[in-house]
Amino acid sequence: MTDPVQDTAHLGHVEVYTDRFDESLDFFTRVYGLKISGRDGDSAYLRAWDDYEFHTLKLTRHHTTGVGHIGYRVVSPEALDRRVKAIEASGYKTHGWVDGDAGHGRAFRFEDPFGHVFELYWDTVKYDPPADDRPALKNMASRYHAQGVSPRRLDHLNLLASDVTEFRDFMVTCLGSRVTEQIRLDNGRLGGCWFTVNNKTYDLACTEEHGRGDGRLHHITYATDQREDILRAADIFLENGVHIETGPHKHAIQGTFFLYVWEPAGNRVELANAGARLILDPDWETVTWTEAERKRGQAWGLKTIETFHTHGTPPAD
Amino acid sequence: MTDPVQDTAHLGHVEVYTDRFDESLDFFTRVYGLKISGRDGDSAYLRAWDDYEFHTLKLTRHHTTGVGHIGYRVVSPEALDRRVKAIEASGYKTHGWVDGDAGHGRAFRFEDPFGHVFELYWDTVKYDPPADDRPALKNMASRYHAQGVSPRRLDHLNLLASDVTEFRDFMVTCLGSRVTEQIRLDNGRLGGCWFTVNNKTYDLACTEEHGRGDGRLHHITYATDQREDILRAADIFLENGVHIETGPHKHAIQGTFFLYVWEPAGNRVELANAGARLILDPDWETVTWTEAERKRGQAWGLKTIETFHTHGTPPAD
Amino acid sequence: MTDPVQDTAHLGHVEVYTDRFDESLDFFTRVYGLKISGRDGDSAYLRAWDDYEFHTLKLTRHHTTGVGHIGYRVVSPEALDRRVKAIEASGYKTHGWVDGDAGHGRAFRFEDPFGHVFELYWDTVKYDPPADDRPALKNMASRYHAQGVSPRRLDHLNLLASDVTEFRDFMVTCLGSRVTEQIRLDNGRLGGCWFTVNNKTYDLACTEEHGRGDGRLHHITYATDQREDILRAADIFLENGVHIETGPHKHAIQGTFFLYVWEPAGNRVELANAGARLILDPDWETVTWTEAERKRGQAWGLKTIETFHTHGTPPAD
Amino acid sequence: MTDPVQDTAHLGHVEVYTDRFDESLDFFTRVYGLKISGRDGDSAYLRAWDDYEFHTLKLTRHHTTGVGHIGYRVVSPEALDRRVKAIEASGYKTHGWVDGDAGHGRAFRFEDPFGHVFELYWDTVKYDPPADDRPALKNMASRYHAQGVSPRRLDHLNLLASDVTEFRDFMVTCLGSRVTEQIRLDNGRLGGCWFTVNNKTYDLACTEEHGRGDGRLHHITYATDQREDILRAADIFLENGVHIETGPHKHAIQGTFFLYVWEPAGNRVELANAGARLILDPDWETVTWTEAERKRGQAWGLKTIETFHTHGTPPAD
């Protein structure tokens, strides 16, 4: 084992496209319980009440759905330099430097082999709550507003790729991610990989694309403090006519308690609770699940429903 | 800001002394719900069901109570070298290299100015469950046995020091810890400091010694997955005649949901749940609480009870 | 044992006075999460989302605070006749028949020896939700709106009386209540009594008046489905500047998980969760607590705070 | 509406047959968390920690599985007389008086048209805990022992009948039950009925027999205090190799949070949490669900799995 240098701090934000902007925005704010930090052009900048940055979700009006780009924050300016050099040396497609969105400084953009656009940045805009959004306890990023579901923070996202092994190499090379768990199919291919750059059990997952299309999104997830928050969320979704796809239940992989819904434009959105589970072990060995093990269903036996394998955004052609 | 190098991975284990060994062991296993990995001489090696190492609590028969030593694991052999050099250069008292306990390889021991003994180690013994302790899900360190409280993993400990500022310098210099929150008293002294070496909000706290004596322990804490586990634990403690000191309630500092009890020998033991709260921000700015703010009590107004300020182990002379 | 005839069905509603009507109404709707069914004159009619009647709380603008009147629904018209005869025969002060409030038909009013006004009624107005308040599941009384705390239903109220034994006789005679638990003080007096007319563990409590004044209210309580709802409520109260008096904690008496706050006019309001606890036993023997037992504090050791013994509404002269 | 006289107090106990007695007993005590009050002949008498009677489950060694008999306690000796007269007048098959089991006095036995045996009794044996089973709080029936799942009390059972309407008439006539909810199939038949004799939302359900055989059991259920207890139970079942059939999820009918498993002999066993939901309304109108509504699945969309429609005990021939 070589001496690890952890350059990447955490998943910072995800840009999600919607072709029903007003309904999606209503869902994410009134029902799901994120807050609006700002708006510009075709985008609204959203954050959970304890996200420390200006935004963790950039919701953008678009002709289709899916993911716009994915931002990770690094641990220092030097780490940003190291990462950019590593990416440029890697041969993966790069877009070069861009001015940051409303929520952060300049960022270096690059692309995985399946068309998902990533960016790395150091300079950020920390959320500074106005008087009416100031929390009762000063160690919180903003007021717990208790609107709708009100998750605490951005947790992870799940992308689709036709070759998960290739995607894994990209994540290890470009972000320095660790692979905490994975699925090895009987045909030898990887069926899924769960990545992390810090002590979270995962901040990004990649599962095999079973439809057609490139650069598709499987889901984006925010974290709640308790499993009860997710049970309560199920009632909130039910009363608001939101399509509940599957859950609440517990994943076998990663042990996460989950609930999946589709926001009005069709993007899959998850709520998740990991309990107190973290990957503290610096030489954690990847847990590999076989196809047979996966067929047992989720932790408590729930079978994975069909749409979970096929539905992604944008829709397959 | 300098480029951070994170050498220390996580709090690994704590050695706790007891002058009522059998009763303490019964408490920690049957009531609190840790498991025994092994025994030797005067010690039992305990771990929570999802602790990945051989032990996180070394319970040792002793003429008194309190903390024996505190072990942190580093991220690599090179990190261990770097840390040892930094410690040796620092002028803090060192004990040098020791063979590891049953649960890990060689360790470098050193001491804070108040007599608490620390050690750093890289080589460890990962817990390899025998057939009857094998979990249903392979990503768990061992079987969820549901005995007593059954917390998931070691969380943190709290030491007492007559000069918290001096203790803080020690932690920053020797372990490379970050200070996530602190209390600044009206007299200018630090009343308490909360430290972390990773994304946990804290793995060690130090509060001002109000009694007498050196090297005292305030409490040791394991993490539960849900707040409900802690409410349920309160009933378990009640039925087992365990002294409940204070809680369940929510700390204003760090926002942790807590419950404090005294194990049979008098060492204070906590259960804590942080929800989904993590410190992901690489340049997190220390949150400083004033004395006036602390006087408001805990998050929901509970006043801190007298023994919480005075009781530590071993007892003051 | 005589053959019991259960005439009284359940606590129906409580009229609460406020000298800060607008702030109280804002508290009960936006923060506490009741819904407005209607308004007339100086009153607003409120209900929890699963209360089946038009209202369970009548909030009335008044020159002072405390309780206006307390309504119980009976099981049938015949039961109403029986109760009225029993009350008239009892010698307690009666007010006679009144037209019902907006929420129910004619009611018979009478008074306990300490000035609290009760009424019994059969005809009621069941809440018929308009389209935008219709629940997703037809067995719910209205939509789960998830506003603020959103308790499920009215649970109980607590009155103060200078002679609890005398109050107990009133409840048994007039309402046919059972006494499920009580406190017997060292001086021989009853310190408190918990009453029920159905399978709930209690729907009304009476504790000894330690201040001055007649007909005072100690608190009114709504029930949440889970204890987690109460922990979450504590954060909602905290962020909204509501005075949290004590809790969350578990009562020794009745085992209820509780949280007490003061609404803006000073009336004490509780949230409670009884878990799955019911009194199903038809010849349940009253549980009697001694003064020594009460001094141990609440279930997990929390000491009762001073204001809990002294604060009632309206304030003592 | 006629003046209701509530003669029947509550479901008292269920006798369950097992052809794997030792394994079933191990399941119900060690894993499910009931306690043994006594044993005689081929039976063990079990109760949950807060059941006030000697037993709520009589587990009997038998050549097959299913339900032995179902006991309801009445509210008084006079009520027992009234019920027996009503039953004898009804024309349903009666077995006459039997000496009670270990847990209660004489009982009157009778049978529904599908072969399920019921009994009514007044005299009972209230559980009197020995010193080591005495609870910390005197209002609890026994110590909260925190073994396995540890539900609080017996909740309900579900029987199968080839004609639910006929079964409903039996329950109304013989037990004086109310029908709180029901399913009306497109073919006009009742698909299911939920009954109660008190404020619980139901204490017995009957669903249409889709297999063959008479007098079959669908499931028996104990109540937990919190939904979290059921999520935790799922992990306990998983680690103990118990077959989890479906759940945890929330029923649309009655809104109960549920989890179904099969004990080692194949009898279906449920855990349920109703939150704070009660039927307090004395003239509650039966909620009728259509076949179309039922096809939407459970509350949050879970589809009912096939075995739930076909598996009963004893197995169909």
Side-chain angles (χ1 to χ4, degrees):
Chain A
M1 164 156 193
T2 63
D3 192 15
V5 178
Q6 186 199 318
D7 284 338
T8 316
H10 63 84
L11 174 65
H13 55 265
V14 180
E15 181 180 24
V16 170
Y17 290 148
T18 171
D19 53 9
R20 297 191 183 189
F21 183 79
D22 293 340
E23 291 150 271
S24 295
L25 185 58
D26 174 66
F27 167 81
F28 278 114
T29 52
R30 187 178 54 82
V31 180
Y32 198 66
L34 303 184
K35 298 180 182 184
I36 301 185
S37 304
R39 300 182 67 150
D40 64 17
D42 284 326
S43 299
Y45 295 84
L46 307 175
R47 52 184 287 286
W49 60 268
D50 204 23
D51 281 325
Y52 78 92
E53 290 179 287
F54 181 74
H55 75 290
T56 50
L57 177 63
K58 181 181 180 182
L59 185 70
T60 298
R61 188 190 311 267
H62 206 70
H63 68 275
T64 184
T65 52
V67 61
H69 75 277
I70 301 130
Y72 272 80
R73 192 170 178 224
V74 295
V75 300
S76 67
E78 294 78 7
L80 187 53
D81 290 343
R82 280 194 296 270
R83 281 294 106 205
V84 170
K85 276 187 195 123
I87 295 164
E88 288 180 330
S90 70
Y92 288 109
K93 182 171 176 188
T94 59
H95 297 207
W97 292 98
V98 296
D99 284 343
D101 279 325
H104 58 89
R106 68 175 199 148
F108 187 82
R109 290 211 169 170
F110 52 106
E111 209 176 301
D112 74 26
F114 311 96
H116 304 100
V117 176
F118 285 75
E119 69 180 18
L120 292 177
Y121 63 98
W122 160 248
D123 287 317
T124 193
V125 176
K126 299 201 184 180
Y127 180 71
D128 183 19
D132 66 354
D133 198 25
R134 220 159 277 159
L137 300 174
K138 63 204 288 184
N139 50 11
M140 294 161 56
S142 69
R143 198 167 172 271
Y144 172 62
H145 63 325
Q147 174 62 45
V149 179
S150 299
R152 178 184 282 266
R153 59 162 171 75
L154 175 63
D155 194 79
H156 69 269
L157 83 164
N158 189 146
L159 300 174
L160 295 171
S162 53
D163 186 327
V164 176
T165 303
E166 211 176 318
F167 186 86
R168 184 189 59 180
D169 294 344
F170 166 82
M171 289 297 285
V172 172
T173 302
C174 297
L175 279 85
S177 298
R178 291 195 283 168
V179 181
T180 54
E181 307 200 17
Q182 63 187 8
I183 300 168
R184 177 71 64 186
L185 301 174
D186 292 347
N187 58 23
R189 293 208 310 274
L190 286 182
C193 258
W194 282 257
F195 303 94
T196 190
V197 295
N198 51 38
N199 296 124
K200 281 176 40 52
T201 51
Y202 55 118
D203 50 37
L204 193 147
C206 177
T207 44
E208 201 174 62
E209 172 67 81
H210 294 139
R212 283 176 300 169
D214 277 324
R216 296 213 301 160
L217 170 72
H218 193 267
H219 66 262
I220 176 174
T221 308
Y222 279 74
T224 69
D225 277 355
Q226 307 293 323
R227 299 198 286 204
E228 256 299 324
D229 295 323
I230 295 179
L231 299 183
R232 184 176 159 273
D235 279 333
I236 294 174
F237 292 136
L238 176 65
E239 290 288 16
N240 283 281
V242 175
H243 173 59
I244 299 177
E245 186 183 27
T246 186
H249 203 89
K250 178 180 169 170
H251 280 302
I253 296 178
Q254 303 285 4
T256 317
F257 194 73
F258 67 84
L259 175 63
Y260 292 95
V261 301
W262 297 358
E263 57 87 37
N267 293 298
R268 187 185 282 105
V269 180
E270 189 193 14
L271 289 166
N273 181 270
R277 188 166 187 252
L278 295 172
I279 304 293
L280 298 175
D281 183 359
D283 57 348
W284 171 267
E285 205 174 324
T286 304
V287 174
T288 302
W289 301 81
T290 65
E291 198 165 328
E293 287 166 342
R294 292 305 305 127
K295 283 192 176 139
R296 285 179 210 151
Q298 299 300 340
W300 302 321
L302 183 72
K303 298 304 175 202
T304 305
I305 66 168
E306 184 57 20
T307 55
F308 202 73
H309 291 304
T310 56
H311 180 80
T313 48
D317 313 317
Chain B
M1 164 155 193
T2 64
D3 193 14
V5 178
Q6 187 198 316
D7 285 337
T8 315
H10 62 84
L11 174 65
H13 56 265
V14 180
E15 181 179 26
V16 170
Y17 290 148
T18 170
D19 53 7
R20 298 191 181 189
F21 183 79
D22 294 340
E23 291 151 88
S24 294
L25 185 57
D26 174 66
F27 166 82
F28 277 115
T29 52
R30 187 178 55 81
V31 179
Y32 199 66
L34 303 185
K35 299 179 182 186
I36 300 185
S37 305
R39 302 181 66 149
D40 64 17
D42 285 326
S43 298
Y45 295 85
L46 307 174
R47 52 185 287 288
W49 61 268
D50 204 24
D51 281 325
Y52 78 93
E53 291 180 285
F54 181 74
H55 75 289
T56 50
L57 176 64
K58 180 181 181 183
L59 185 70
T60 298
R61 190 189 310 269
H62 206 69
H63 68 276
T64 184
T65 51
V67 61
H69 75 276
I70 300 130
Y72 272 81
R73 194 170 177 226
V74 295
V75 300
S76 68
E78 294 78 6
L80 186 53
D81 291 343
R82 280 195 296 269
R83 280 295 106 204
V84 170
K85 277 190 195 118
I87 295 164
E88 287 180 329
S90 70
Y92 287 109
K93 185 172 175 186
T94 59
H95 296 209
W97 291 98
V98 296
D99 284 343
D101 280 322
H104 58 88
R106 70 172 198 151
F108 187 80
R109 289 208 172 173
F110 52 105
E111 208 176 303
D112 75 25
F114 311 96
H116 304 100
V117 175
F118 286 75
E119 68 181 19
L120 292 177
Y121 64 98
W122 160 249
D123 287 318
T124 193
V125 176
K126 298 201 184 180
Y127 181 72
D128 183 20
D132 66 354
D133 198 26
R134 221 160 275 158
L137 300 174
K138 62 203 292 184
N139 50 11
M140 294 160 57
S142 70
R143 195 167 174 272
Y144 172 62
H145 63 326
Q147 174 62 45
V149 179
S150 300
R152 179 184 281 267
R153 59 163 171 74
L154 175 62
D155 194 79
H156 70 271
L157 84 163
N158 189 146
L159 301 173
L160 294 173
S162 53
D163 186 327
V164 175
T165 303
E166 215 176 315
F167 185 87
R168 184 189 59 182
D169 294 344
F170 166 82
M171 290 296 286
V172 172
T173 302
C174 297
L175 280 85
S177 298
R178 291 194 284 168
V179 181
T180 54
E181 306 200 18
Q182 63 187 9
I183 300 168
R184 178 69 68 185
L185 301 174
D186 291 348
N187 58 24
R189 294 207 311 272
L190 286 181
C193 258
W194 282 255
F195 303 94
T196 190
V197 296
N198 51 38
N199 296 124
K200 280 176 38 53
T201 50
Y202 55 118
D203 50 38
L204 194 148
C206 177
T207 44
E208 200 174 63
E209 171 69 82
H210 293 138
R212 282 177 302 167
D214 276 325
R216 298 215 299 162
L217 171 70
H218 193 266
H219 66 263
I220 177 174
T221 307
Y222 279 73
T224 69
D225 277 356
Q226 307 293 323
R227 299 198 287 203
E228 256 299 323
D229 296 321
I230 296 180
L231 299 183
R232 184 177 160 272
D235 278 333
I236 293 175
F237 291 136
L238 176 66
E239 289 289 16
N240 283 281
V242 175
H243 174 59
I244 300 176
E245 188 183 26
T246 187
H249 203 88
K250 177 179 171 171
H251 280 302
I253 296 178
Q254 303 285 5
T256 318
F257 194 71
F258 67 84
L259 175 63
Y260 292 96
V261 301
W262 296 359
E263 58 86 38
N267 293 298
R268 186 186 282 107
V269 180
E270 189 192 15
L271 290 166
N273 180 269
R277 188 166 186 251
L278 295 171
I279 304 292
L280 299 174
D281 182 358
D283 57 347
W284 172 265
E285 204 173 326
T286 304
V287 173
T288 301
W289 301 81
T290 65
E291 198 166 328
E293 286 165 342
R294 292 306 304 126
K295 283 193 176 137
R296 283 179 211 153
Q298 299 301 342
W300 301 322
L302 184 71
K303 297 306 174 197
T304 306
I305 67 167
E306 183 56 21
T307 55
F308 202 73
H309 291 305
T310 57
H311 180 80
T313 49
D317 313 317
Chain C
M1 164 158 192
T2 63
D3 193 15
V5 178
Q6 186 199 315
D7 285 338
T8 317
H10 62 85
L11 173 65
H13 56 265
V14 180
E15 181 180 26
V16 170
Y17 290 149
T18 171
D19 53 8
R20 297 190 181 190
F21 183 79
D22 294 338
E23 292 151 271
S24 295
L25 184 57
D26 173 67
F27 166 83
F28 278 115
T29 51
R30 187 178 54 82
V31 179
Y32 198 67
L34 303 184
K35 298 180 181 184
I36 300 184
S37 305
R39 300 181 67 150
D40 64 16
D42 285 324
S43 298
Y45 296 85
L46 307 175
R47 51 183 289 285
W49 60 268
D50 204 24
D51 281 325
Y52 78 91
E53 291 180 285
F54 181 74
H55 76 290
T56 50
L57 176 64
K58 180 181 180 184
L59 185 69
T60 298
R61 189 191 309 269
H62 207 70
H63 67 277
T64 183
T65 52
V67 61
H69 75 277
I70 300 132
Y72 273 81
R73 192 169 177 224
V74 296
V75 301
S76 67
E78 294 79 4
L80 186 54
D81 290 344
R82 281 195 295 270
R83 281 295 107 203
V84 170
K85 277 187 195 123
I87 294 163
E88 288 180 329
S90 69
Y92 288 107
K93 184 173 175 185
T94 59
H95 297 207
W97 292 98
V98 295
D99 284 343
D101 279 324
H104 58 89
R106 70 175 196 148
F108 187 80
R109 290 209 170 174
F110 52 106
E111 205 175 304
D112 76 26
F114 310 95
H116 305 101
V117 176
F118 285 75
E119 69 180 18
L120 292 176
Y121 63 98
W122 160 249
D123 288 317
T124 194
V125 177
K126 298 199 185 182
Y127 181 71
D128 183 19
D132 66 355
D133 198 26
R134 222 160 273 158
L137 300 174
K138 63 204 288 187
N139 51 11
M140 294 160 56
S142 69
R143 197 167 172 272
Y144 172 62
H145 63 325
Q147 173 64 45
V149 179
S150 299
R152 179 184 281 267
R153 60 162 171 72
L154 175 62
D155 193 80
H156 69 270
L157 84 164
N158 189 146
L159 300 174
L160 295 172
S162 53
D163 187 327
V164 175
T165 303
E166 213 176 315
F167 186 88
R168 184 190 60 180
D169 295 344
F170 166 83
M171 290 296 287
V172 172
T173 302
C174 297
L175 279 85
S177 298
R178 292 194 283 168
V179 181
T180 53
E181 306 201 19
Q182 63 188 8
I183 300 168
R184 178 69 65 186
L185 301 174
D186 291 348
N187 59 23
R189 294 207 309 272
L190 286 181
C193 258
W194 282 256
F195 304 93
T196 190
V197 296
N198 51 39
N199 296 123
K200 277 174 41 55
T201 52
Y202 56 116
D203 50 37
L204 193 147
C206 177
T207 44
E208 202 174 60
E209 170 68 83
H210 293 138
R212 284 177 300 168
D214 276 325
R216 296 214 300 162
L217 170 71
H218 193 267
H219 65 262
I220 177 173
T221 306
Y222 279 73
T224 68
D225 277 355
Q226 308 292 323
R227 299 198 287 202
E228 256 300 324
D229 295 322
I230 295 180
L231 299 183
R232 185 177 160 272
D235 279 333
I236 293 175
F237 291 137
L238 176 65
E239 290 288 16
N240 283 281
V242 175
H243 174 59
I244 301 176
E245 188 183 27
T246 186
H249 203 90
K250 177 179 171 173
H251 279 303
I253 297 177
Q254 304 284 4
T256 318
F257 193 73
F258 68 83
L259 175 63
Y260 292 96
V261 301
W262 295 0
E263 57 88 37
N267 292 298
R268 186 186 282 106
V269 179
E270 190 193 13
L271 290 166
N273 180 269
R277 188 166 186 250
L278 295 171
I279 303 293
L280 299 174
D281 182 359
D283 57 348
W284 172 267
E285 205 173 322
T286 304
V287 173
T288 302
W289 301 81
T290 65
E291 198 166 328
E293 288 166 341
R294 291 305 305 125
K295 282 191 176 141
R296 284 180 212 151
Q298 299 301 339
W300 301 322
L302 183 72
K303 298 305 175 199
T304 306
I305 66 167
E306 183 56 22
T307 55
F308 202 74
H309 291 304
T310 56
H311 181 81
T313 48
D317 312 319
Chain D
M1 164 158 193
T2 65
D3 192 13
V5 178
Q6 185 199 320
D7 284 338
T8 316
H10 62 85
L11 173 65
H13 55 266
V14 180
E15 182 180 25
V16 170
Y17 290 148
T18 172
D19 52 9
R20 298 190 181 189
F21 183 79
D22 293 339
E23 290 151 271
S24 294
L25 185 57
D26 174 67
F27 167 82
F28 277 116
T29 52
R30 187 178 55 81
V31 179
Y32 198 67
L34 304 184
K35 298 180 181 186
I36 301 185
S37 303
R39 302 182 66 150
D40 65 17
D42 284 325
S43 298
Y45 296 85
L46 307 174
R47 52 185 284 289
W49 61 268
D50 204 24
D51 280 327
Y52 78 92
E53 291 180 286
F54 181 75
H55 75 288
T56 49
L57 176 64
K58 181 182 181 182
L59 185 70
T60 297
R61 188 190 310 269
H62 206 70
H63 68 275
T64 184
T65 52
V67 62
H69 75 276
I70 300 130
Y72 272 81
R73 193 169 177 226
V74 296
V75 300
S76 68
E78 294 79 4
L80 186 54
D81 291 343
R82 281 194 296 269
R83 282 293 107 205
V84 170
K85 276 188 194 122
I87 295 163
E88 288 180 328
S90 69
Y92 288 109
K93 183 172 175 186
T94 60
H95 297 208
W97 292 98
V98 296
D99 284 343
D101 280 322
H104 57 88
R106 69 174 197 149
F108 187 81
R109 289 209 171 172
F110 52 105
E111 209 176 300
D112 75 27
F114 311 95
H116 304 100
V117 177
F118 285 76
E119 69 180 18
L120 292 176
Y121 64 97
W122 160 248
D123 287 317
T124 194
V125 177
K126 298 199 185 182
Y127 181 71
D128 184 19
D132 66 354
D133 198 26
R134 219 158 276 157
L137 299 175
K138 64 204 290 185
N139 49 11
M140 293 161 58
S142 70
R143 196 167 173 271
Y144 171 62
H145 62 327
Q147 175 62 46
V149 178
S150 299
R152 178 184 282 266
R153 58 163 172 75
L154 175 62
D155 194 79
H156 69 271
L157 82 164
N158 189 146
L159 301 173
L160 295 172
S162 53
D163 186 326
V164 176
T165 303
E166 213 176 316
F167 186 88
R168 183 189 61 180
D169 294 344
F170 166 82
M171 289 296 285
V172 172
T173 302
C174 297
L175 278 85
S177 297
R178 291 195 283 167
V179 181
T180 54
E181 306 200 17
Q182 63 187 7
I183 300 168
R184 178 70 65 185
L185 300 173
D186 291 348
N187 58 22
R189 294 208 309 275
L190 285 181
C193 258
W194 282 256
F195 303 94
T196 190
V197 296
N198 51 38
N199 296 123
K200 277 174 43 52
T201 50
Y202 55 117
D203 49 38
L204 194 146
C206 177
T207 43
E208 202 175 61
E209 172 67 83
H210 294 140
R212 283 177 301 169
D214 275 325
R216 298 212 302 160
L217 171 70
H218 192 268
H219 65 263
I220 176 175
T221 307
Y222 279 73
T224 69
D225 277 356
Q226 307 294 323
R227 299 198 286 204
E228 256 300 322
D229 296 322
I230 295 180
L231 299 183
R232 185 177 158 271
D235 279 332
I236 293 175
F237 292 136
L238 176 66
E239 290 288 16
N240 283 281
V242 175
H243 174 60
I244 300 176
E245 188 183 26
T246 186
H249 203 89
K250 177 179 170 172
H251 279 304
I253 296 178
Q254 303 285 3
T256 317
F257 193 73
F258 67 84
L259 175 63
Y260 292 96
V261 301
W262 296 0
E263 58 86 39
N267 292 298
R268 186 185 282 106
V269 180
E270 189 192 15
L271 289 167
N273 180 269
R277 189 166 185 249
L278 296 171
I279 304 292
L280 299 175
D281 182 358
D283 57 348
W284 172 266
E285 204 174 325
T286 304
V287 173
T288 301
W289 301 82
T290 65
E291 199 167 327
E293 286 167 340
R294 294 304 306 123
K295 282 190 177 142
R296 283 180 212 152
Q298 300 301 340
W300 301 321
L302 184 72
K303 298 303 176 199
T304 306
I305 66 168
E306 183 57 22
T307 56
F308 202 75
H309 291 304
T310 57
H311 180 81
T313 50
D317 314 316

